[in-house]
Amino acid sequence: MNTAVPPAVRQYFASIRAALAGLELFLGERNSPLYRNTVVGEVIVPFLARLKASVACWENRIGFVEHFRISRAESGFPVFQSVLELENDRQSAEKRLANIPAADALREEMVDFILRQKAFPEALQARMAERLYLEQIGKGDIFSPFILPETIRVAVNPRTMRPYYVVSWGAFDGSQTLPMVYMATIEDSSEDIVRMLVTEDGRLNPDVDIPLPVGGLLNPELASRFDDFASKNSAYSLTPVTIATNLDKDFPELHPKQLRRIVLGPFYSAGITENNARINEILSKVRKSENAWLLTWTVQEVFSKAERPARRGFWSTTPAQEEFHIDTANLEAARMGVSAYEKHALVPHDAYQALYAAGEAGQVFGDYKVHVISGNQVVSEV
């Protein structure tokens, strides 16, 4: 990595790496509502791995580019342009690597340059950083602007005698620069699918082998359209109830019973982000800079409280429609367009102590569920 990288940038990457590692630790806690062995945890884990891979790529990238920007005043994550650049570079990585000398050859050149020139080989180091970046981006999946849906669970609702799927997908919102994870529970009333997957006694047909996860919606006739729908209906500006209602209208055979959206962020890092002046002021007083951060996320949920049956008339047919529950008694839930929501905050023990000592913990966290990292343990609901 370039030695000219400012200390604040190094601190930012150290902080966000620590925050994502902390979230991973939290997902491993059995008492966590997002425990990785639950369906929600199962969905989040691979997307977290993608986000960690993106951060590793960005950290390598700063070794050979002049500018790297983060959304300092809003999400605390890299700006959306950085997300797009990763996606573009991922597609051209193999071709670019072919034009860069091997790592061992670059190291030899660097040593030779130092011995002959008595100076630091900045140009060669930048080439090495670019090679490491391209190798890293080719190792695995990153958090792309849009991540195609996958079917991760299949079962049967014995009451309706329909199969239902749990489908997940991801999106990095361009306007708010926030990574988001979606998961939906959807019943399918397509006649061919019902005939194939549901037995007469209302069970999943054991003779049908379904190698989960399945890329896309399990129904092959609707999979391509569903991908297109998800790509056009994953913006942060759309409320969960709007997305669920659009899905219900666009696919007469699909019946969304539940939609969850997990919004990761904002992320706060002392001396870097400006999204909350008071939080950043207190975090800046934390003794160890690697503990001067705060990661928040929100879990939003909308569910169907009833399904209005289809109506078949002489002149027209009205398909079945879901009635989604919105908690109008809760102003925040109504604003979000959800049945329920949870706000979470993950914070190192040192940072929590600083907020508590300043008398700001109650005001900062408000209705957040707080999870404090202390060593290799996470203490929740402090």
Side-chain angles (χ1 to χ4, degrees):
M1 187 178 294
N2 195 331
T3 54
V5 174
V9 177
R10 294 181 183 277
Q11 180 186 328
Y12 171 78
F13 279 104
S15 296
I16 197 166
R17 276 192 277 107
L20 297 180
L23 180 54
E24 190 173 42
L25 180 66
F26 176 70
L27 289 172
E29 291 283 323
R30 287 186 174 274
N31 294 326
S32 161
L34 302 180
Y35 181 50
R36 69 183 67 196
N37 285 356
T38 65
V39 66
V40 180
E42 179 185 346
V43 166
I44 294 176
V45 166
F47 289 98
L48 176 59
R50 284 175 174 270
L51 189 56
K52 290 175 66 178
S54 290
V55 169
C57 290
W58 284 319
E59 191 167 10
N60 281 326
R61 197 171 193 275
I62 62 175
F64 65 93
V65 297
E66 291 185 7
H67 302 288
F68 182 82
R69 294 187 301 125
I70 64 169
S71 179
R72 299 178 65 185
E74 287 150 348
S75 73
F77 285 100
V79 297
F80 189 59
Q81 181 62 32
S82 297
V83 181
L84 295 175
E85 288 168 349
L86 280 194
E87 183 66 16
N88 290 335
D89 289 346
R90 184 181 65 83
Q91 297 175 17
S92 62
E94 187 175 348
K95 183 177 179 180
R96 287 170 59 182
L97 273 172
N99 296 319
I100 300 176
D104 288 343
L106 284 171
R107 291 189 187 96
E108 289 180 8
E109 283 191 62
M110 291 171 73
V111 171
D112 184 62
F113 183 95
I114 292 170
L115 292 175
R116 285 187 299 102
Q117 303 293 332
K118 309 298 183 185
F120 190 80
E122 292 186 5
L124 287 170
Q125 187 196 41
R127 292 287 276 171
M128 177 66 85
E130 185 176 5
R131 167 164 276 281
L132 293 174
Y133 166 73
L134 293 171
E135 288 177 344
Q136 174 69 38
I137 208 170
K139 282 181 180 178
D141 295 323
I142 56 174
F143 208 114
S144 303
F146 174 68
I147 301 166
L148 286 166
E150 279 189 339
T151 300
I152 64 165
R153 296 276 180 92
V154 183
V156 173
N157 182 342
R159 185 176 60 82
T160 62
M161 298 292 283
R162 298 171 182 162
Y164 66 86
Y165 322 127
V166 177
V167 186
S168 67
W169 68 95
F172 205 114
D173 186 76
S175 62
Q176 299 297 314
T177 61
L178 290 167
M180 302 179 297
V181 178
Y182 285 89
M183 58 180 296
T185 302
I186 304 168
E187 289 188 9
D188 190 341
S189 60
S190 305
E191 291 184 6
D192 290 345
I193 291 293
V194 172
R195 190 181 305 113
M196 178 176 65
L197 294 182
V198 184
T199 63
E200 291 184 359
D201 59 350
R203 299 176 183 272
L204 191 64
N205 188 347
D207 296 330
V208 179
D209 182 31
I210 305 174
L212 297 173
V214 173
L217 189 76
L218 188 62
N219 186 329
E221 292 186 1
L222 302 178
S224 179
R225 281 180 55 209
F226 188 87
D227 287 351
D228 185 60
F229 170 86
S231 70
K232 294 176 179 176
N233 286 269
S234 295
Y236 180 80
S237 59
L238 296 175
T239 64
V241 72
T242 298
I243 298 170
T245 300
N246 290 345
L247 175 58
D248 193 34
K249 288 180 179 178
D250 289 0
F251 295 87
E253 311 92 332
L254 300 181
H255 312 274
K257 300 301 179 180
Q258 181 188 56
L259 176 75
R260 282 194 180 103
R261 177 166 69 185
I262 298 98
V263 182
L264 297 172
F267 170 69
Y268 306 87
S269 178
I272 306 291
T273 58
E274 301 169 350
N275 32 18
N276 187 303
R278 186 59 182 143
I279 291 177
N280 291 314
E281 179 186 348
I282 296 169
L283 289 179
S284 66
K285 297 176 183 178
V286 175
R287 185 167 52 88
K288 295 182 178 179
S289 60
E290 61 267 28
N291 291 333
W293 55 265
L294 168 64
L295 175 65
T296 64
W297 69 90
T298 304
V299 181
Q300 301 171 322
E301 175 190 0
V302 64
F303 60 82
S304 172
K305 61 183 179 180
E307 180 183 310
R308 285 180 293 195
R311 294 180 180 178
R312 292 176 172 80
F314 188 77
W315 298 107
S316 65
T317 298
T318 302
Q321 289 184 323
E322 302 298 327
E323 295 182 6
F324 297 105
H325 171 66
I326 299 298
D327 185 2
T328 54
N330 185 315
L331 292 179
E332 184 70 358
R335 183 189 66 80
M336 289 185 187
V338 296
S339 310
Y341 70 93
E342 289 183 353
K343 292 182 177 181
H344 295 264
L346 183 70
V347 60
H349 184 263
D350 289 359
Y352 182 79
Q353 286 290 91
L355 290 163
Y356 187 82
E360 300 281 350
Q363 182 177 350
V364 166
F365 294 117
D367 59 348
Y368 283 81
K369 296 185 177 182
V370 184
H371 316 285
V372 179
I373 298 178
S374 182
N376 290 321
Q377 291 186 324
V378 180
V379 180
S380 297
E381 298 300 322
V382 295

